[in-house]
Amino acid sequence: SDIAKDHQLRKKYTIQLGENELVLKELDLLEEEANVYKLIGPVLVKQDLAEANANVRKRIEYISAEL
């Protein structure tokens, strides 16, 4: 049972890591003045590109540490 839980958790983190790495690649393709929006609940909130980039990098670090 513990092994199954660990496997599910690892699978979840691996999927999240892949998604965040893809987002980072997409953000790197954008120009500085590009508009970036973050989905918070049902609302899209405008976000600074540098801030979005930093947030995704932090998430990747966290997920990598958990793995």
Side-chain angles (χ1 to χ4, degrees):
S1 136
D2 287 341
I3 293 173
K5 278 186 201 175
D6 288 346
H7 178 69
Q8 285 294 83
L9 195 57
R10 183 168 180 79
K11 182 178 173 183
K12 174 184 157 189
Y13 282 134
T14 302
I15 291 169
Q16 287 180 352
L17 182 61
E19 290 172 349
N20 280 284
E21 287 173 343
L22 182 61
V23 169
L24 188 60
K25 285 179 186 176
E26 291 292 325
L27 287 175
D28 287 341
L29 295 175
L30 297 175
E31 296 179 13
E32 278 298 313
E33 64 276 355
N35 291 325
V36 178
Y37 296 90
K38 180 177 183 177
L39 184 63
I40 300 177
V43 179
L44 284 175
V45 177
K46 193 170 184 177
Q47 190 175 35
D48 182 54
L49 179 58
E51 182 182 347
N53 217 331
N55 288 342
V56 173
R57 289 181 192 279
K58 285 179 191 173
R59 248 184 271 136
I60 288 173
E61 285 178 30
Y62 172 78
I63 294 169
S64 296
E66 289 297 312
L67 280 173

